[in-house]
Amino acid sequence: MSNQTILPSMKLDGRTAVVTGAGSGIGKAIAIAVAEAGADCVPCERTDRLGDLDEVCDAIRATGRKAFPTALDLPDVASIDAMVDGVKRKAGRIDVLVNNAGINLPNDAFDVTEEEWDAVLDVNLKGLFFTSQRVGRLMRDQQSGRVINIASQNGVVGYYKRAAYCSSKGGVVNLTRVLALEWASHSITVNAVGPTFILTPLTQSTFDDPQLREDIESRIPLGRVGQPEDVVGAVVFLASPAAGMITGHTLLVDGGWTTM
Ligand SMILES: NC(=O)c1ccc[n+]([C@@H]2O[C@H](COP(=O)([O-])OP(=O)(O)OC[C@H]3O[C@@H](n4cnc5c(N)ncnc54)[C@H](O)[C@@H]3O)[C@@H](O)[C@H]2O)c1
């Protein structure tokens, strides 16, 4: 009887993971979860919110892993370059990139302003692309890497007041396919995770409206909105050796919303 096991590891031991938008909500949970899975973590946050990383860094260090809090102001490409240079200096490499930072400015399609449209697309799509490009070049030099884009179920279905947001997330879902295709020959996988409505500061105002909350819950067959903890398993899995043959995929964490 051989001692060899068949299940590939779902751990991230020895890796360095960059997580954008890590001071709040889903990104905060992901930053802590990748550390729990064994990775050193680079939680990134806007310069004016860097203090939000204190709690995250404490939680990362409590797992025994290193934390390298870093400023990142999307979609400023100079800021992205500075982040990558800083990580190269401090950690030497980037094995996992989680593009999580994002915003939503809900408005009826008839009323969306040019400023609102640009703001949402700038962070959610342009910022995500150039972060992927700059980190992707480093992963090309390494000939390995995992990119995980936090898209949304709203990248594959529509919802009210989300013309700009759904457009940005639909863009992320298809950009994920392009990068997966172009970077496969460098052993870089690129996948997305598409959460349903998750209770975070981003969605607080939506859930403050009882009618809207009822509508949203009625569309989730599992009968509840998600918590940040509901998203982290999908991210860690896609970053782990167990997902080595998966690329270009969007893994929906939607409680069944898109089954209907
Ligand atoms: N909450 C949900 O229901 C939900 C559902 C599906 C997808 N998502 C996606 O998950 C991601 C995280 O959302 P969340 O709910 O945790 O929101 P959140 O508002 O709690 O966190 C968003 C984070 O992104 C950062 N960020 C925003 N603009 C930035 C910028 N210009 N540069 C750098 N960082 C910036 C914020 O500072 C914050 O840390 C987003 O991409 C969001 O679209 C959220």
Side-chain angles (χ1 to χ4, degrees):
M1 186 83 177
S2 144
N3 282 336
Q4 249 188 333
T5 54
I6 194 158
L7 180 67
S9 173
M10 295 201 201
K11 302 284 288 175
L12 306 180
D13 293 325
R15 313 279 161 92
T16 298
V18 169
V19 182
T20 71
S24 172
I26 295 171
K28 182 176 179 177
I30 292 171
I32 298 167
V34 295
E36 287 178 358
D40 291 335
C41 185
V42 183
C44 299
E45 191 47 89
R46 281 167 28 183
T47 303
D48 62 340
R49 292 186 57 175
L50 267 180
D52 292 358
L53 292 180
D54 292 349
E55 209 180 292
V56 189
C57 288
D58 287 347
I60 292 167
R61 290 178 185 127
T63 69
R65 307 311 316 171
K66 291 184 189 134
F68 304 106
T70 301
L72 178 66
D73 296 299
L74 299 174
D76 179 14
V77 176
S79 168
I80 297 169
D81 283 338
M83 179 277 284
V84 174
D85 285 347
V87 181
K88 272 200 284 195
R89 262 197 326 276
K90 288 182 262 185
R93 55 187 290 119
I94 300 175
D95 301 292
V96 178
L97 167 66
V98 184
N99 280 308
N100 164 80
I103 61 169
N104 181 23
L105 301 172
N107 205 351
D108 291 316
F110 283 129
D111 300 324
V112 172
T113 65
E114 189 178 355
E115 288 71 27
E116 288 168 343
W117 178 272
D118 286 347
V120 172
L121 272 290
D122 269 0
V123 178
N124 294 7
L125 192 53
K126 181 180 174 183
L128 179 145
F129 172 69
F130 282 103
T131 309
S132 302
Q133 182 197 64
R134 296 324 223 233
V135 173
R137 289 175 182 168
L138 181 62
M139 291 176 168
R140 176 184 57 189
D141 294 343
Q142 299 168 179
Q143 286 293 300
S144 72
R146 298 291 172 91
V147 178
I148 296 143
N149 298 323
I150 305 304
S152 169
Q153 71 178 21
N154 289 329
V156 296
V157 295
Y159 196 66
Y160 306 101
K161 295 179 186 282
R162 278 159 176 77
Y165 185 77
C166 288
S167 301
S168 72
K169 295 299 185 177
V172 169
V173 167
N174 216 20
L175 174 61
T176 298
R177 296 189 182 105
V178 176
L179 299 183
L181 190 60
E182 290 198 12
W183 296 353
S185 59
H186 301 291
S187 299
I188 302 167
T189 68
V190 186
N191 290 289
V193 170
T196 186
F197 283 85
I198 307 289
L199 205 45
T200 70
L202 185 79
T203 48
Q204 193 56 60
S205 62
T206 303
F207 290 130
D208 285 345
D209 177 340
Q211 256 184 327
L212 212 47
R213 182 164 186 146
E214 204 184 308
D215 177 65
I216 287 166
E217 282 171 346
S218 75
R219 293 167 191 264
I220 301 177
L222 285 179
R224 65 176 178 87
V225 298
Q227 300 291 333
E229 294 73 26
D230 288 312
V231 182
V232 303
V235 176
V236 170
F237 165 65
L238 289 171
S240 77
M245 193 61 178
I246 301 172
T247 196
H249 185 69
T250 295
L251 177 49
L252 294 169
V253 181
D254 67 354
W257 181 304
T258 57
T259 57
M260 287 191 278

